[in-house]
Amino acid sequence: MKGGRGLTAHELGTPARVLLYSVRRAPWWTVVSVVSRVAGIAVALAFPAALARAVDAALGGAPGLVWLGSLIGAALLTGALEVWAAAAGGIAVEVSLRRGVIRRVLEAGIPGRRRFSSGDVGSRLVSASEAANLVSIVLSALGAVALSAGGLVALALIDWWLAVAFVVCVPVATVLVRRFVAETTGLMRSYRRLQGDLSARLVEALTGARTIQAGGTLDREVERVLAPLPELGAAGRATWEAQRRTVWKVGLLAPLTEVVVLAVAGVGVSDGRITAGSWVAVAGYVTIALGLLNVVDPLMGLAHVRVGTARLAEVLSLPAGPGGPRALPDGPGAITFRSVTVHARDGAVLGGSVAIDARDEGSVSVCAGGGAVLDGVDLDIPPGLAVAVVGRSGAGKSTLAALAGGLLRPDRGEVLLDGADVAEVCPEELRRAVAYAFERPALLGDTVHDMIAYGSVDVSREEVELAALRVSADGFIRRLPDGYDTALDRVPLSGGEAQRLGLARAVVRERRVLILDDATSSLDTATEAEVTMTLTRLLAGRTRIVVAHRAATAARTDLVVWLEDGRVRATGPHDLLWREPDYRALFGEAVPREPA
């Protein structure tokens, strides 16, 4: 992972690795949890003996409650300390897990992968909370086993027949618990998968709420979103049924075992082998020994962790986004494509990698059937020019734009920025050299000022206002309730206004390359002309790549790259290409020619 070592799928491969990861992330809290758990076990094992001593002392007329009171105080203290350490350590691990998974999600460009929609990723992140409690779960299970073993040893020390009576019931309980864990693990895996599917469908529906309302398809969409619900309910009921079958058997086995052991102890009292106080101790120790049956809850938690971390590991196993450790050399912004080929994978969306300014919902290229979006593209973009990329829908315009700034790695070939392969350049350096603006810019930040300054360090108010002025956004911003300090959740922006804010964010700092992926499509003709004039004149000297759909936009650039079926059909000035009937057809014959 770029920028330092991050969370890997290997670290979540097995519960043992998750446990090791948790210990590394919260070492001191783990130590406190272990110490308090061990102390609690010691106190619990000492308590029945102290109670027996107190009973015998009371029957003999001597005081014996001091030691018993001290143990009660120690039990309260160790219990509180354990809860505190478990909570603090769990929070530290959960934060680390969520940070690692979210970082990989953003690096890998999850929005461009249908397998992991935002709703599905959200449901998977819930597993981080369960995994964060793994130390506590393991300590609970080990503590139950240790207590049970200690109780059994104490019974044997009092009278070995007591231990024999108890051990007879252990194999039955072991078989029940093992069968329960094996059954519920598979059921929970199915339940989590269906839960993620339902969440993903809901997020998709919310995203397309206006389309659903306009199409009058509300009932049909509700049915589509809830389609996994019957199967989800069946998986949930099956899990509870498995737990019910196990719990009642374990619940029946516990009192039967206790009755048998106490009956044997009663015989010992009548024979004079066991004192009255020791009989009281037996009642305490048999309850402690039966704690082994309480390991069902920790094992259930362990099954949750196994399923949840496996789902997190699927996200972490995705390849990281483009970029490497190489430094970007100084240069004027020359871009070269050498035999570049990009394939669509299973009809998935391309060009969605995420890196600072690329978190917008931009135009994307889709190629059904897994064909080539770009096929053997060779192209030289001279530095300092304004270049329009034109072509029909699906020609690969947005994919080419994503490649130029290193948001997408080609399947074959290489893309060079000032002689450096962008696939090997450090992403942080690329973001300082390349700025993007998209068709639907994401409004990130608290205020309008923050949104424009997002991704640029130490940007002054003057620079933000200048950027907004350059893209004709200053006027409507100053009409907002608090101007540039207006909270974004109070800004009812039109599509054109949002695009102008996105453009301002792209031009707020001097970068050698500026890439506009359909970033002026919602502007009216007059505003688009003003913005294009800024891009061609005031920003002269930067390399500017504009994905264009209007003849007027292409006419104002220095060079046009004409894409057709994933290949470069022609390059040249707009005036020269306009002579081609097929080129004019891209914009419609009725569109009048506008001189450069």
Side-chain angles (χ1 to χ4, degrees), residues 118 199-222 224-225 361 440:
S118 55
S199 298
R201 290 169 182 250
L202 178 59
V203 171
E204 290 171 1
L206 292 174
T207 303
R210 288 190 300 177
T211 302
I212 294 169
Q213 186 177 14
T217 58
L218 177 61
D219 292 337
R220 187 173 68 187
E221 193 62 24
V222 169
R224 186 190 71 84
V225 171
E361 298 177 88
R440 295 183 299 276

Side-chain angles (χ1 to χ4, degrees), residues 146-382:
L147 267 175
S148 182
L152 180 59
V153 170
L155 289 175
L157 292 176
I158 295 172
D159 190 287
W160 67 274
W161 281 109
L162 301 175
V164 171
F166 181 86
V167 168
V168 169
C169 302
V170 172
V172 179
T174 303
V175 171
L176 290 175
V177 171
R178 185 174 181 179
R179 182 181 301 171
F180 170 73
V181 172
E183 185 177 2
T184 54
T185 298
L187 290 171
M188 281 188 289
R189 185 179 295 112
S190 176
Y191 186 87
R192 292 297 179 83
R193 176 183 57 81
L194 292 167
Q195 193 177 45
D197 185 21
L198 192 147
S199 298
R201 290 169 182 250
L202 178 59
V203 171
E204 290 171 1
L206 292 174
T207 303
R210 288 190 300 177
T211 302
I212 294 169
Q213 186 177 14
T217 58
L218 177 61
D219 292 337
R220 187 173 68 187
E221 193 62 24
V222 169
E223 292 298 322
R224 186 190 71 84
V225 171
L226 298 181
L229 198 56
E231 194 176 353
L232 180 69
R237 287 190 296 272
T239 303
W240 285 112
E241 178 63 21
Q243 191 167 359
R244 182 192 65 81
R245 289 196 305 268
T246 303
V247 168
W248 79 262
K249 294 175 183 177
V250 172
L252 181 61
L253 185 63
L256 287 176
T257 304
E258 190 169 4
V259 168
V260 170
V261 173
L262 289 177
V264 173
V267 173
V269 172
S270 64
D271 292 343
R273 291 181 292 108
I274 300 176
T275 66
S278 295
W279 190 92
V280 174
V282 169
Y285 282 124
V286 72
T287 302
I288 290 175
L290 286 172
L292 180 65
L293 302 181
N294 296 329
V295 80
V296 172
D297 287 337
L299 290 178
M300 187 78 170
L302 181 61
H304 276 284
V305 171
R306 288 180 62 185
V307 174
T309 52
R311 286 169 56 78
L312 291 177
E314 287 180 357
V315 178
L316 294 172
S317 63
L318 289 170
R326 182 176 176 181
L328 182 65
D330 294 332
I335 301 175
T336 303
F337 290 74
R338 293 180 179 173
S339 303
V340 171
T341 297
V342 176
H343 294 287
R345 296 167 180 82
D346 300 324
V349 179
L350 296 177
S353 280
V354 178
I356 303 181
D357 287 357
R359 295 184 187 180
D360 311 41
E361 298 177 88
S363 301
V364 292
S365 299
V366 179
C367 182
V373 180
L374 293 179
D375 187 8
V377 170
D378 289 297
L379 177 66
D380 289 306
I381 297 179

Side-chain angles (χ1 to χ4, degrees), residues 553-590:
T553 304
R556 294 189 182 97
T557 59
D558 303 307
L559 182 69
V560 175
V561 176
W562 179 8
L563 294 179
E564 187 172 89
D565 297 329
R567 296 174 179 271
V568 177
R569 174 166 173 174
T571 60
H574 173 76
D575 283 347
L576 182 62
L577 295 177
W578 189 259
R579 301 172 188 174
E580 291 282 341
D582 289 346
Y583 180 79
R584 295 198 302 272
L586 295 176
F587 309 102
E589 288 287 353

Side-chain angles (χ1 to χ4, degrees), residues 22-32:
S22 300
V23 172
R24 287 202 307 264
R25 293 298 175 181
W28 292 112
W29 292 119
T30 302
V31 170
V32 174

Side-chain angles (χ1 to χ4, degrees), residues 30-41:
T30 302
V31 170
V32 174
S33 295
V34 171
V35 170
S36 59
R37 173 68 69 167
V38 171
I41 291 173

Side-chain angles (χ1 to χ4, degrees), residues 2 5 15 24 38 51 71 77-78 85 88-89 167 195 202-203 281 288 310 325 388 400 431 494 537 543 565 567:
K2 320 301 184 297
R5 183 184 178 278
R24 287 202 307 264
V38 171
L51 184 60
L71 286 178
L77 179 61
T78 56
V167 168
Q195 193 177 45
L202 178 59
V203 171
I288 290 175
L400 186 140
R431 299 288 70 79
S494 67
R537 291 187 180 180
T543 303
D565 297 329
R567 296 174 179 271

